[in-house]
């Protein structure tokens, strides 16, 4: 069965929206509540937020595509990030995350002056920086300058340094969170930013994740989240994933982005068999070389309709909307889809014809 909505151990999470931590406070309003064209809140919307930190001049992700197409569509060539974050960049990520959390907190307070307070606290999940294997001099932790690469050391030593950095990040984030005292948000846990789990001659994310998962669970009673892309390997990794790497996972159908993918049913069935949720995918603007950009309305309609047909409207869902969702309030066609999102979240959505 799908990952269920409203589980107490997951902070009663129902819908997890991915947002940047560098938005202005007002830009969070239409994520938090149904908002009309005059920016007036009507009812609560997303209950949980995955905050992605923003840091200049460094990458906090795993890889970059130096080809001209998306994965599986010809000229795709992923390489490890050439400028992975160092200690200072990871500290800047904590500042960015705290800024976003405080702005969401204030937005909730403002909205609560207009409509009744939500039944439960809104959840925050924060993205871990990826310890990129091109980082040979991360910075000094416990007297050692950490090296994430296999240059001058073996894979086990590199992986242990990567783990030490992740542990340090969680410890420092948790200390700052305690200091901030954001009492109207529930810090639910952390997110693994690489959309697969990789092991090769120079990297071992499998061991790393098992140790991070255990540390977050045991030391802080927090959860670890994952949103893998659609691939047979990732589907295999979802088998019994909660006993290995993650507490909650959401499978990307990727139908929004790939010409050769023919719908959302196969991903829905795979997620349902593995106690995972589904990621709802849409974009207003996207800096990616995709072939189906003119089909985004048609394809998003299939995601929405699929929630009714395949049952995941009643499941826990993650959401990716490329671009700021507030832009949907400015255009009549986009505003209709925004209202459809609201109805989907509140289980009111009815199947509509695909035009």
């Amino acid at each position: 069965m799908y990952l269920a909505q409203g589980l107490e151990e997951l902070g009663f999470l129902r819908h997890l929206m991915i947002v940047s931590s560098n938005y202005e406070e007002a830009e969070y309003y239409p994520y938090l509540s149904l908002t009309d064209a005059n920016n007036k809140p009507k009812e609560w919307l997303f209950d949980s937020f995955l905050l992605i930190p923003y840091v200049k001049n460094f990458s906090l992700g795993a890889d970059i595509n130096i080809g001209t197409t998306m994965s599986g569509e010809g000229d795709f060539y992923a390489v490890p990030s050439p400028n992975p974050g160092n200690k200072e960049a990871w500290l800047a990520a904590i500042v960015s995350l705290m800024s976003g959390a405080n702005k969401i907190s204030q937005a909730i307070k403002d909205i609560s002056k207009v409509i009744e307070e939500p039944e439960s606290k809104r959840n925050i999940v924060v993205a871990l920086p990826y310890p990129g294997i091109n980082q040979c001099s991360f910075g000094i932790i416990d007297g050692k300058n950490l090296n994430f690469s296999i240059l001058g050391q073996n894979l086990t030593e590199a992986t242990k340094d990567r783990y030490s950095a992740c542990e340090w990040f969680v410890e420092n984030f948790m200390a700052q969170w305690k200091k901030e005292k954001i009492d109207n948000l529930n810090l639910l846990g952390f997110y693994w930013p690489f959309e697969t789990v990789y092991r090769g001659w120079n990297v071992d994310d499998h061991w790393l994740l098992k140790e991070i998962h255990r540390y977050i669970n045991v030391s802080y009673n927090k959860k670890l989240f994952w949103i893998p892309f659609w691939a047979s390997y990732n589907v295999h990794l979802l088998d019994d994933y909660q006993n290995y790497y993650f507490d909650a996972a959401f499978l990307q159908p990727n139908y929004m982005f790939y010409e050769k993918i023919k719908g959302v049913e196969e991903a829905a069935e795979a997620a349902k068999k593995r106690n995972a949720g589904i990621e709802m995918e849409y974009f207003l603007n996207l800096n990616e070389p995709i072939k189906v950009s003119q089909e985004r309305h048609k394809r998003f309609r299939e995601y929405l309709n699929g929630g009714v047909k395949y049952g995941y409207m009643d499941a826990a869902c993650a959401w990716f909307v490329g671009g700021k969702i507030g832009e949907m309030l400015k255009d009549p066609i986009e505003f209709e889809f925004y209202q459809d999102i609201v109805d989907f979240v509140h289980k009111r959505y009815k199947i509509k014809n695909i035009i």
Side-chain angles (χ1 to χ4, degrees):
M1 59 186 299
Y2 292 116
L3 182 65
Q5 291 186 358
L7 296 174
E8 185 175 4
E9 61 267 29
L10 293 179
F12 306 101
L13 179 151
R14 296 174 60 244
H15 292 275
L16 176 68
M17 170 58 81
I18 302 169
V19 291
S20 173
S21 62
N22 71 328
Y23 289 171
E24 296 300 322
E25 180 188 323
E27 291 175 319
Y28 291 114
Y29 288 5
Y31 294 96
L32 284 160
S33 67
L34 166 61
T35 305
D36 63 21
N38 296 317
N39 216 28
K40 183 177 180 181
K42 298 292 186 182
E43 64 179 334
W44 293 104
L45 185 48
F46 290 101
D47 60 271
S48 302
F49 297 90
L50 167 51
L51 278 177
I52 306 297
Y54 174 77
V55 176
K56 290 182 179 179
N57 302 322
F58 287 95
S59 171
L60 301 178
D63 59 3
I64 61 171
N65 175 19
I66 60 174
T68 59
T69 69
M70 295 273 285
S71 175
E73 294 190 340
D75 181 31
F76 172 80
Y77 189 58
V79 297
S81 174
N83 61 331
N86 57 15
K87 183 178 178 180
E88 288 72 26
W90 286 31
L91 285 170
I94 292 176
V95 173
S96 174
L97 291 163
M98 287 299 170
S99 174
N102 274 297
K103 289 174 184 176
I104 290 174
S105 171
Q106 186 58 52
I108 291 170
K109 293 176 182 177
D110 293 343
I111 294 168
S112 296
K113 296 174 183 177
V114 182
I115 58 177
E116 188 176 350
E117 291 186 4
E119 294 180 358
S120 60
K121 287 185 178 181
R122 309 292 84 173
N123 294 307
I124 293 293
V125 176
V126 297
L128 293 167
Y130 183 80
I133 61 173
N134 280 329
Q135 180 54 264
C136 302
S137 183
F138 174 77
I140 296 175
I141 304 295
D142 295 331
K144 181 184 180 184
N145 189 11
L146 301 183
N147 177 10
F148 300 162
S149 79
I150 58 170
L151 295 177
Q153 61 183 352
N154 62 36
L155 179 57
T156 297
E157 292 168 330
T159 307
K160 287 182 177 179
D161 276 10
R162 297 173 74 219
Y163 171 75
S164 294
C166 291
E167 185 181 279
W168 171 86
F169 179 86
V170 171
E171 181 181 356
N172 278 269
F173 181 88
M174 293 301 300
Q176 188 62 34
W177 181 267
K178 183 177 181 181
K179 183 179 179 180
E180 293 285 333
K181 297 180 181 179
I182 308 176
D183 57 6
N184 65 339
L185 291 175
N186 175 44
L187 177 61
L188 188 51
F190 297 85
Y191 167 72
W192 179 245
F194 200 8
E195 295 175 1
T196 189
V197 180
Y198 186 65
R199 190 183 193 284
W201 296 111
N202 59 350
V203 61
D204 184 2
D205 285 344
H206 284 262
W207 182 89
L208 177 64
L209 275 169
K210 289 178 184 179
E211 295 303 311
I212 292 172
H213 185 204
R214 181 183 299 113
Y215 175 70
I216 289 171
N217 283 178
V218 174
S219 297
Y220 294 103
N221 194 30
K222 301 301 178 185
K223 307 300 182 182
L224 187 60
F225 292 77
W226 188 42
I227 308 177
F229 63 79
W230 172 247
S232 58
Y233 174 67
N234 282 344
V235 171
H236 166 69
L237 289 173
L238 288 174
D239 290 330
D240 203 26
Y241 70 89
Q242 288 162 318
N243 285 325
Y244 290 97
Y245 311 113
F246 306 102
D247 299 292
F250 306 85
L251 182 59
Q252 302 176 28
N254 286 153
Y255 174 60
M256 178 58 63
F257 312 108
Y258 292 99
E259 187 176 42
K260 294 180 180 179
I261 295 178
K262 298 306 179 185
V264 299
E265 182 178 7
E266 191 174 359
E269 290 178 353
K272 188 174 184 179
K273 289 178 181 177
R274 294 166 178 83
N275 195 224
I278 283 287
E279 182 180 64
M280 301 291 288
E281 299 168 311
Y282 185 51
F283 66 91
L284 302 166
N285 48 72
L286 193 69
N287 185 26
E288 295 283 355
I290 65 174
K291 297 179 181 180
V292 293
S293 60
Q294 301 305 311
E295 299 179 21
R296 63 191 181 90
H297 288 147
K298 169 184 174 295
R299 290 183 175 237
F300 187 47
R301 180 63 61 204
E302 294 193 50
Y303 279 78
L304 294 166
N305 288 350
V308 180
K309 285 196 250 184
Y310 310 124
Y312 56 79
M313 188 167 70
D314 295 319
C317 293
W319 290 75
F320 169 82
V321 176
K324 298 175 182 178
I325 204 170
E327 297 173 17
M328 300 180 76
L329 308 180
K330 303 173 184 178
D331 177 86
I333 296 175
E334 299 297 348
F335 188 64
E336 179 182 350
F337 278 103
Y338 176 70
Q339 291 179 309
D340 288 335
I341 291 172
V342 174
D343 287 339
F344 191 99
V345 166
H346 289 284
K347 302 184 182 182
R348 300 188 299 245
Y349 179 79
K350 306 294 183 183
I351 290 178
K352 293 185 177 182
N353 291 331
I354 297 173
I355 301 175

